[in-house]
Each structure stands twice: as C-alpha cells, then as structure tokens.
Amino acid sequence: MSFLVSSKKGRMKIRVKKFLAVPIFAAIFAVSGWTAEAPVFGFDTGDKVVFIGDSITHGGSYHADIFLFYATRFPSKAFIYYNCGISGDTASGAVARFDRDIAVHHPNVATIMLGMNDVGRGNYGAQKTSPGDISARDHSFDVYRESMD
C-alpha cells in the first residue's frame, strides 16, 4: 500500500507495511491448528523506514524487535530505520511535526502506531454520560480520523 504524503517541501511517496497483521493471523492460525507459515512482508534493500508513533514507538522495543526480526531472517536485505516516536504524541501531533521530524529522513516506508493518546481519556468514566461528554468523545475521534487521513 502506498500513500502520497504532502509536506511543505513537496510530495513524497511512502509505502506503509501491514506486517503487524502477520503475527496476529499467525497466532490465530496456530491456535486453530493450521500449521502453514504465514507470509512475511519484508523490507527491501536500501529502504528508509520511519516508525511514527507515541510512547509505544518512542520506548524503543517496538522498532528494535521489527529490525531484529528482519536482520535475523533477511540479512541480505539491509535497510535503515529511524525512531520517529514521541511519548504522549497524537495523530495531529505527528502531522504537525511531519516536516521537521519525519520527512527530513526522506523515508520511502513508514509504519504508524498512533491512537492511544487521541481518545481524550478525560472524556470517559462512569459519570461521563452527558451529551457534552459524548460530543467531546466524538470530537476526539473525528480529529484522530482526520489526522490519520
């Protein structure tokens, strides 16, 4: 899957890998008794990969695990990666910092793991059932969806 991403410096094409679905489906098939190996969607030699996200990405284990997976299974396909995760970040925050923090690496592949900080946690709870609370939750989701688009 490819996306054309606009930045102040022009447009850049970034491929988004859906490799996270592979481990999930592999686990489902393993539990169900299906034993065929799931396909691996590998990075190509020379890819510049950016890992965009919040604290889950910023913490380091997410992209390090992905890198080690590919380094041990496809050692001839060397790629470069950049951790573009920031703790506490949101989808709109990633959009705001795109030019100065993500596009500067000139990536051709991106993974995006955002959403944990976008839900407006203060808008939920046992007493948060008023029309205003529901409207605030809807607004948080709308901002998230717009930023991810």
Side-chain angles (χ1 to χ4, degrees):
M1 175 183 304
S2 295
F3 294 97
L4 285 177
V5 179
S6 295
S7 74
K8 291 178 185 169
K9 296 177 184 171
R11 296 174 70 87
M12 106 180 24
K13 186 174 184 177
I14 297 178
R15 290 182 297 134
V16 177
K17 297 286 185 168
K18 292 193 174 185
F19 59 83
L20 291 179
V22 173
I24 292 168
F25 286 118
I28 291 169
F29 292 134
V31 170
S32 69
W34 190 66
T35 58
E37 288 188 31
V40 175
F41 301 98
F43 297 115
D44 294 325
T45 300
D47 277 348
K48 287 186 177 180
V49 182
V50 289
F51 290 87
I52 304 166
D54 51 32
S55 60
I56 297 167
T57 303
H58 183 202
S61 60
Y62 162 61
H63 58 80
D65 289 345
I66 299 299
F67 178 78
L68 289 173
F69 174 86
Y70 285 101
T72 57
R73 286 159 182 84
F74 307 103
S76 64
K77 292 189 174 187
F79 65 91
I80 299 168
Y81 74 93
Y82 300 93
N83 180 359
C84 295
I86 295 181
S87 293
D89 204 9
T90 60
S92 61
V95 170
R97 66 185 175 87
F98 184 83
D99 286 332
R100 71 177 185 281
D101 191 40
I102 299 167
V104 296
H105 300 295
H106 306 286
N108 66 313
V109 179
T111 70
I112 302 170
M113 188 184 309
L114 289 162
M116 295 302 293
N117 301 316
D118 291 279
V119 297
R121 289 176 282 192
N123 298 326
Y124 294 85
Q127 276 63 31
K128 300 284 187 164
T129 58
S130 74
D133 295 322
I134 294 169
S135 177
R137 289 194 293 258
D138 289 345
H139 176 72
S140 293
F141 183 73
D142 290 342
V143 169
Y144 170 73
R145 183 177 32 223
E146 181 181 315
S147 296
M148 290 299 288
D149 286 346

